[in-house]
Amino acid sequence: MIFEDIHHIAIICHDRKETLSFYVDKLGFKIISDYRRIEKNDEKIDVEKGNLRLELFIKPDAPKRLSYPVGEGTGLRHLAFKVTNIEAIVENLKAQKIRVEEIRRDDFTGEKMTFFFDPDGLPLELHE
């Protein structure tokens, strides 16, 4: 295979303050770069945690994401984070007033999993 690893994951967001509060303050990502792109009328903020790098594009005029319960559009469906103790992570997220679904078992693997959501409604999965 020609791929070695995932380099980064890009996420389009609407509000800088909400986005940084969520990904940096609540999820613990660290800002590694922050650029204003005048020609594209947006901002690109790179964050990382461990070996995971996200590119957060702040685009206030981006169209809203199609998602549950309306339906899904094509493209990236969700991100899934591997965790060791899902119950502890869920309690931590709930304590920060982050909407989290009930923990359930994956239909295929039987492993514990759940979803929580970023400020723009992007589903983020926890998978034990």
Side-chain angles (χ1 to χ4, degrees), residues 1 9 14 18-19 26 43 63-64 72 83-84 114 127:
M1 180 53 106
I9 298 166
H14 283 107
E18 278 187 343
T19 297
K26 294 178 180 174
E43 297 177 67
K64 292 210 179 251
E72 295 177 328
V83 299
T84 302
T114 191
H127 207 101

Side-chain angles (χ1 to χ4, degrees), residues 43-98:
E43 297 177 67
K44 177 184 174 289
I45 304 167
D46 295 320
V47 297
E48 68 181 15
K49 184 173 183 174
N51 65 350
L52 179 59
R53 179 180 281 197
L54 304 178
E55 286 185 349
L56 304 173
F57 290 91
I58 310 300
K59 299 174 80 90
D61 59 348
K64 292 210 179 251
R65 172 185 172 80
L66 291 177
S67 192
Y68 175 83
V70 178
E72 295 177 328
T74 55
L76 180 66
R77 187 173 189 187
H78 62 265
L79 303 179
F81 299 107
K82 184 177 177 77
V83 299
T84 302
N85 183 340
I86 197 167
E87 288 86 357
I89 302 297
V90 164
E91 288 308 312
N92 180 281
L93 293 171
K94 286 181 177 179
Q96 297 182 75
K97 307 287 190 240
I98 296 173

Side-chain angles (χ1 to χ4, degrees), residues 12-37:
I12 296 175
C13 311
H14 283 107
D15 184 276
R16 177 186 173 91
K17 185 177 177 183
E18 278 187 343
T19 297
L20 292 180
S21 172
F22 183 80
Y23 285 99
V24 175
D25 300 338
K26 294 178 180 174
L27 298 188
F29 282 84
K30 179 183 173 190
I31 297 173
I32 57 173
S33 63
D34 189 345
Y35 304 99
R36 176 94 172 114
R37 302 186 315 169

